[in-house]
Amino acid sequence: MLINTTRFGRMEIDDQRIMTFPKGILGFSREKQYVLMEASKDSCFFWLQAINRPDLAFVITDPSFFVSSYRVPLNSDQMRELGIEILDDAQVFVIVNKYDNTLTGNLQGPLVINTKDRLGEQLVLSDRRFTTRMNLVELSVPLEAVSA
Amino acid sequence: MLVLSRQRDEAIVIGDDIEITIVDIRGDKVRLGINAPRQVKVHRKEVYEAIKRENTSASQVGRNVLDAIDENLREARKSSNGYSQLI
């Protein structure tokens, strides 16, 4: 299908790539369908683009690249809800934001995706070690900023 | 909004299977005990709101945000392969 996006223009995507978040993403409960795109080849970052809302897209990443101790507790009810039978079928992402020159990750509200059925949900963790704004990576300072 | 007065150890019942008990009251702090089925999600509201706020803020990130990403990060990605089926 053809989708419109404000960041990437019009894009043709295979219908089979569509992922469904039955409850939406917190704050965006109406948008339930998304497509995952590589930010660039082999990038650690991905774009999660809403199918029906051109301006809605999130940068997401696999938090294990940055925080090796990070674990998302999934109980059997949550696994059943997402249709996850074995943990290998679950992929965790976190939504990325940018503050000044730092990319942060929302480790308190991870996205858990059933990679087989393409079903996702944003969880709310009560673990206070993880916040909504944990530093992931400092961006390298652009050259023009250095010389200015 | 329905407003009820309760004393310590009293409870309210919501529907057939959710029970909220006033466990302790100390000054302006109230401790609640919640009994609910596991599929009912119970969160501190401020955590829920913080995630919502952060989502909203993150949704404003522009296309060029990743331009300055270090090449080294690509190497990390190459060592894992769980994403191919989603993209």
Side-chain angles (χ1 to χ4, degrees):
Chain A
M1 73 185 290
L2 207 53
I3 64 167
N4 286 313
T5 74
T6 52
R7 291 175 185 77
F8 315 104
R10 293 189 106 189
M11 297 193 327
E12 174 65 35
I13 58 154
D14 190 335
D15 288 14
Q16 300 194 337
R17 287 176 56 200
I18 294 174
M19 295 193 285
T20 305
F21 286 71
K23 298 174 186 166
I25 286 173
L26 292 179
F28 301 93
S29 55
R30 285 177 59 187
E31 300 310 318
K32 303 190 191 303
Q33 292 192 308
Y34 292 85
V35 62
L36 187 71
M37 305 180 293
E38 278 184 300
S40 59
K41 192 173 177 336
D42 292 332
S43 172
C44 286
F45 296 90
F46 304 84
W47 282 97
L48 189 66
Q49 168 71 50
I51 297 288
N52 297 312
R53 199 178 136 180
D55 68 319
L56 184 60
F58 302 94
V59 175
I60 64 175
T61 190
D62 179 342
S64 65
F65 288 137
F66 306 97
V67 188
S68 55
S69 61
Y70 185 58
R71 298 280 181 279
V72 173
L74 263 189
N75 64 41
S76 54
D77 292 309
Q78 289 168 318
M79 285 179 67
R80 199 172 319 123
E81 229 173 88
L82 284 167
I84 295 170
E85 284 163 15
I86 53 167
L87 280 178
D88 279 352
D89 291 341
Q91 175 64 52
V92 173
F93 289 102
V94 295
I95 295 179
V96 174
N97 203 350
K98 180 175 179 268
Y99 290 93
D100 299 323
N101 253 343
T102 305
L103 293 184
T104 62
N106 185 346
L107 271 62
Q108 201 161 20
L111 307 177
V112 177
I113 295 173
N114 168 351
T115 55
K116 233 173 57 193
D117 299 334
R118 294 172 171 270
L119 279 178
E121 182 176 342
Q122 185 168 35
L123 303 187
V124 176
L125 303 190
S126 45
D127 190 335
R128 286 169 182 242
R129 282 177 303 162
F130 304 122
T131 70
T132 57
R133 206 178 284 180
M134 289 187 80
N135 289 359
L136 297 181
V137 59
E138 295 282 323
L139 296 173
S140 25
V141 182
L143 285 177
E144 55 267 42
V146 175
S147 59
Chain B
M1 188 194 286
L2 170 68
V3 179
L4 300 170
S5 292
R6 300 277 67 191
Q7 295 183 338
R8 187 178 317 213
D9 295 330
E10 291 185 334
I12 61 168
V13 176
I14 301 174
D16 289 332
D17 44 19
I18 300 174
E19 189 178 294
I20 300 174
T21 307
I22 311 302
V23 174
D24 195 15
I25 306 167
R26 232 171 255 174
D28 58 0
K29 203 169 193 173
V30 178
R31 283 167 64 81
L32 303 174
I34 300 159
N35 261 321
R38 286 180 65 172
Q39 69 269 22
V40 174
K41 296 182 174 66
V42 179
H43 303 299
R44 291 181 179 85
K45 185 175 177 181
E46 63 271 21
V47 173
Y48 189 87
E49 293 295 329
I51 291 174
K52 235 176 173 174
R53 260 200 317 278
E54 195 60 24
N55 284 348
T56 304
S57 166
S59 73
Q60 305 298 315
V61 164
R63 184 179 180 174
N64 56 4
V65 68
L66 300 172
D67 287 355
I69 287 293
D70 198 309
E71 275 296 313
N72 293 335
L73 282 173
R74 290 183 200 284
E75 297 304 317
R77 157 77 189 279
K78 280 179 185 159
S79 58
S80 44
N81 50 19
Y83 318 108
S84 46
Q85 57 194 120
L86 281 173
I87 295 166

